[in-house]
Amino acid sequence: MNYAYQLDSGLYARFLRGMAEADGTRRIEGKIAQVQLDGETGDIAALLLDSGERIEGDLFIDCTGFRALLIEGALRVGYDDWSNWLPCDSAIAIQTSSVRPPVPYTRAIAHEAGWQWRIPLQHRQGNGVVYCSDFLGHDAALEKLLSTVEGEKLVKPNHIRFRTGARRKQWHRNCVAVGLSGGFMEPLESTSIHLIQRAILRIVRMLPAGTISQRDIDEFNDQQFTDMEQIRDFLVLHYKVTDRRDTPFWRHVAAMDVPESLTHKIELFRETGRVFRKNEELFAENSWVQVMLGQGIMPQSHHPVAAKLRDDEMAHLLTTLREQVARTVAALPSHADYVARYCGADIPAAA
Ligand SMILES: Cc1cc2nc3c(=O)[nH]c(=O)nc-3n(C[C@H](O)[C@H](O)[C@H](O)COP(=O)(O)OP(=O)(O)OC[C@H]3O[C@@H](n4cnc5c(N)ncnc54)[C@H](O)[C@@H]3O)c2cc1C
């Protein structure tokens, strides 16, 4: 079964920090004032903190978010801008108290110039609105969010601006960009933390033994970029193939050009009903089929082996399947009961 987790990212970060420190990681609190390069090699030599402390290193992992202080600020690798394909550039997020038991899924609800999310947790709900500022102003977006959230507002709305795209090199010299410093795609499929996780696993696999190999760097960049392009195409698909035409935003995204790799995937499905998952692509065939069929692309043909099954046999198969699913679901506990029983959180008062 495909699955994903709904996490309180603040608590998760605290949990990981505790693990890392217990494992011997030394944490130095401070603000990076300057990134110093080695005059001969061009590698990063040290970080200078505003306390005056200088931290030298062999390998630097840039986790400075959108600011990308090391990979871009110091090493200037450049940015591939994908906003022509994913034009949403703003988000407003707010947390609210839960007003009903959590559902086991995230809701993404389209609006006239983007979409809204609702992510239920055990103790609160995450809400947000994503929009394209060319088509919707900040005040109207905020009003849209505040007028639709339920429960008590627990924090002030947080406004975030972003430019969708990816650093041209995720690893350059002795610096690896992980997280938002490496690029950003809107959270329509909640993929950023997954990409962080994959980057960490890749670094572990390629961790340089003494010296950094350019082949490792090239391989890392290739794999990481493939992941990002595949996710990008899946996100663009949601916008491109919708038949919604009621606002200028939706007419704009329906008419835009899309990456050649996505055109191929859409047309292959339209003509043959086939989808292929390449490499270790995050989204499996069923995800692609759900969005393409759900948005109204009906394949013109299908594999001849499907004709082996008569219509009445197919109807019987689907009915049996539906009944089995219904029986299984009826016997399961509710999502809230399941979570409370197997992984109920001990929520700190401040969370
Ligand atoms: C609107 C929105 C919704 C999202 N929803 C999801 C989702 O549903 N699922 C998902 O997986 N991901 C989601 N993400 C992405 C997720 O938030 C990020 O993947 C995650 O926060 C990335 O962490 P990061 O460490 O790269 O960047 P950040 O969390 O931005 O951390 C960067 C850190 O660098 C520090 N820093 C910056 N400059 C300096 C300096 N000079 N000195 C020292 N420190 C510095 C900052 O203080 C900060 O702590 C979302 C992102 C946005 C914007």
Side-chain angles (χ1 to χ4, degrees), residues 9-85:
S9 55
L11 288 178
Y12 184 49
R14 238 186 278 171
F15 167 76
L16 293 178
R17 176 180 150 191
M19 265 178 69
E21 286 179 339
D23 257 358
T25 303
R26 191 161 64 93
R27 177 170 176 273
I28 302 164
E29 179 78 47
K31 187 171 175 200
I32 302 164
Q34 202 192 341
V35 180
Q36 296 180 334
L37 298 184
D38 183 311
E40 272 178 33
T41 63
D43 287 358
I44 296 177
L47 305 178
L48 192 67
L49 303 188
D50 63 358
S51 62
E53 189 176 359
R54 188 171 183 275
I55 300 171
E56 293 182 358
D58 299 316
L59 182 73
F60 291 83
I61 297 180
D62 187 341
C63 299
T64 61
F66 286 130
R67 302 185 65 190
L69 283 179
L70 283 68
I71 197 82
E72 192 63 60
L75 296 182
R76 309 228 166 267
V77 295
Y79 194 70
D80 267 356
D81 187 331
W82 292 339
S83 53
N84 52 327
W85 295 315

Side-chain angles (χ1 to χ4, degrees), residues 76 132 134 155 157 183 192 230 259 265-266 278 298 323 331 334:
R76 309 228 166 267
C132 175
D134 288 344
V155 290
S192 286
Q230 288 173 335
K265 214 150 185 167
I266 294 173
K278 288 189 187 156
M298 190 50 73
E323 285 166 1
S334 73

Side-chain angles (χ1 to χ4, degrees), residues 5 7 9 28-34 48-49 62-70 90-93 106 115 117 119 128-130 158-162 178-196:
Y5 294 114
L7 297 167
S9 55
I28 302 164
E29 179 78 47
K31 187 171 175 200
I32 302 164
Q34 202 192 341
L48 192 67
L49 303 188
D62 187 341
C63 299
T64 61
F66 286 130
R67 302 185 65 190
L69 283 179
L70 283 68
S90 306
I92 307 174
T106 290
W115 61 281
W117 77 80
I119 306 179
V129 63
V130 174
N158 180 19
H159 184 210
I160 305 134
R161 294 291 309 248
F162 53 83
V178 174
L180 299 181
S181 62
F184 182 66
M185 281 175 281
E186 58 163 282
L188 184 56
E189 290 286 352
S190 299
T191 41
S192 286
I193 295 173
H194 166 83
L195 282 171
I196 293 176

Side-chain angles (χ1 to χ4, degrees), residues 17 69 73 76 78 100 103 106 121 131 140 149 158 163-164 177 179-181 183 205 240 250 277 295-296 332:
R17 176 180 150 191
L69 283 179
R76 309 228 166 267
R100 60 175 63 89
V103 291
T106 290
L121 299 174
Y131 61 99
V149 295
N158 180 19
R163 190 159 58 99
T164 296
L180 299 181
S181 62
R205 273 191 213 143
K240 176 66 186 174
W250 290 104
R277 187 183 193 178
Q295 304 280 51
L332 289 174

